[in-house]
Amino acid sequence: MTSKTIELSLDEIFNLAKASLLKHGANEENADAVANTVTNAERDGSLSHGLFRIPGYIKALQSKKVDGSAKPEIKEVTPTIFRCDAKNGFAPLAHKYSLKPLIEAAHKFGIAGVAIQRSHHFAALWPEVETISENGLVGLTSVSYTPAVAPAGGTTALFGTNPMSFAWPRPGKNPIVFDMATSSMAKGEIQIAARDGHSVPLGTGLSSSGELTTDASEIDKGVLLPFGGHKGSVIALMIELLSGPLVGETFSYETKERDNGDGGPVQGGQFILALSPEICSGKDTSDQIEQFINKYNEIDGVRLPGARRHKNREDNGPRQVNAELINTVIRLRDES
């Protein structure tokens, strides 16, 4: 089954996203931050985190679960540790407030971290770490969500899809960057596959009856599996700890228990770390990194993490967006 698409420019995507958010209670600052994140996802080909997320953002505004006028507060706990209270607002604005002091501290001390609390994260993770690496630093971040993934060997969801993202700076060039769920496939990708009638690889997840299936709609009703069996499972466990108790927030199952079930982004925490390669190593390692990348790229069939996204970014032309999705967002924008 092929879905009908409509061509939109990046400016049209941004304006549609922002207008929809403003219509449903987000203030200018929050709407701008979220719309920018959504537009960048569409620009880079991350369709499951682009306009696809707008109806969920709006559900959270309509139910008042998210404060569309939230203004994050940053507290310097120590010279290298910051705590951001997102005030029950959307994560993109919390990032805008958190990353500047984090980057400044990492440049001064070699390492710095921020614990984000009471944040509603619904986007890809690479924007945060790319911002860090564009400033010459290594970035690492993780979030949990609500139970969707069964631990290795089990059939009951306990972990969120628990993504993590990492970026390494390359002066004058695009950073090395990856953004990955610890589930076999991101939840948003499962939902898009189900919407478009696409099958997924066997081992992606289980149906509601606990059977392996390639039917994305059945997996959406059942559970995802971790990537790589027990190896992905323990990484998901690590992210539960880093993104929950370490930052003063909840495990995925606790997050679900307090959520109102409106379908919008849940309240939770985020862990972000920034490191200076120069301070940690005591020298400039950029030439060493480039030699490694040259050897990496000499191997047939490999692609540097983030390369496809950066290639997509070179195209400033219009994007093809699912027509039904666009019509849904337009209806939300035009609601009286």
Side-chain angles (χ1 to χ4, degrees):
M1 180 168 63
T2 302
S3 297
K4 183 181 177 182
T5 61
I6 295 175
E7 191 173 86
L8 290 182
S9 71
L10 293 175
D11 283 344
E12 288 173 327
I13 290 170
F14 175 85
N15 291 334
L16 176 59
K18 184 173 180 179
S20 302
L21 293 160
L22 287 170
K23 185 62 174 283
H24 290 275
N27 66 8
E28 184 78 17
E29 191 176 30
N30 277 276
D32 191 81
V34 172
N36 186 62
T37 295
V38 165
T39 303
N40 287 344
E42 292 285 351
R43 176 199 66 189
D44 289 5
S46 302
L47 303 186
S48 62
H49 291 91
L51 283 172
F52 178 73
R53 298 287 180 174
I54 287 294
Y57 281 119
I58 289 174
K59 286 177 182 177
L61 289 169
Q62 290 173 328
S63 74
K64 308 298 182 183
K65 178 172 72 180
V66 168
D67 181 355
S69 299
K71 191 175 184 65
E73 290 185 359
I74 304 295
K75 179 181 179 181
E76 182 181 304
V77 183
T78 75
T80 60
I81 298 295
F82 300 87
R83 193 176 299 128
C84 173
D85 181 355
K87 298 289 187 177
N88 274 329
F90 291 126
L93 192 60
H95 301 151
K96 181 179 178 181
Y97 279 70
S98 299
L99 292 181
K100 186 175 184 291
L102 177 75
I103 288 166
E104 290 175 350
H107 275 302
K108 184 175 182 180
F109 298 105
I111 185 170
V114 60
I116 299 180
Q117 302 172 343
R118 297 208 295 163
S119 169
H120 293 262
H121 201 298
F122 215 37
L125 286 175
W126 53 260
E128 295 95 291
V129 294
E130 278 205 7
T131 298
I132 291 169
S133 282
E134 286 166 359
N135 286 272
L137 301 167
V138 176
L140 177 68
T141 188
S142 67
V143 296
S144 60
Y145 203 63
T146 59
V149 182
T155 59
T156 300
L158 178 65
F159 301 144
T161 53
N162 291 11
M164 61 186 295
S165 188
F166 171 87
W168 187 284
R170 298 173 66 198
K173 299 181 181 180
N174 291 320
I176 301 170
V177 57
F178 71 78
D179 180 355
M180 53 169 267
T182 51
S183 55
S184 53
M185 188 176 288
K187 185 72 169 177
E189 291 175 356
I190 289 289
Q191 292 169 334
I192 285 180
R195 180 194 70 188
D196 296 345
H198 297 155
S199 61
V200 296
L202 195 66
T204 298
L206 307 175
S207 68
S208 56
S209 60
E211 302 296 322
L212 284 168
T213 178
T214 61
D215 188 329
S217 62
E218 288 299 312
I219 293 171
D220 197 31
K221 299 172 190 173
V223 297
L224 285 159
L225 295 174
F227 82 90
H230 71 279
K231 294 183 180 180
S233 187
V234 295
I235 294 174
L237 171 61
M238 176 187 74
I239 290 172
E240 287 283 342
L241 295 165
L242 291 177
S243 309
L246 181 70
V247 297
E249 267 290 354
T250 49
F251 286 112
S252 290
Y253 79 92
E254 295 173 313
T255 299
K256 182 179 180 179
E257 288 172 355
R258 72 180 178 192
D259 188 58
N260 65 6
D262 63 6
V266 299
Q267 179 189 309
Q270 181 173 4
F271 166 68
I272 308 179
L273 184 70
L275 304 101
S276 166
E278 187 172 358
I279 292 177
C280 289
S281 69
K283 58 184 179 180
D284 182 354
T285 60
S286 54
D287 287 343
Q288 180 187 14
I289 300 302
E290 293 308 309
Q291 289 173 15
F292 172 79
I293 291 173
N294 289 338
K295 287 187 175 293
Y296 183 98
N297 288 330
E298 286 171 0
I299 301 172
D300 289 339
V302 306
R303 183 182 69 225
L304 198 66
R308 181 168 54 190
R309 184 163 55 247
H310 292 132
K311 182 67 176 176
N312 289 338
R313 196 175 298 178
E314 294 173 6
D315 178 8
N316 290 317
R319 298 300 194 263
Q320 297 293 329
V321 185
N322 179 269
E324 184 179 350
L325 171 62
I326 291 176
N327 290 332
T328 296
V329 178
I330 288 173
R331 285 196 298 270
L332 290 168
R333 181 198 64 188
D334 295 341
E335 283 182 352
S336 58

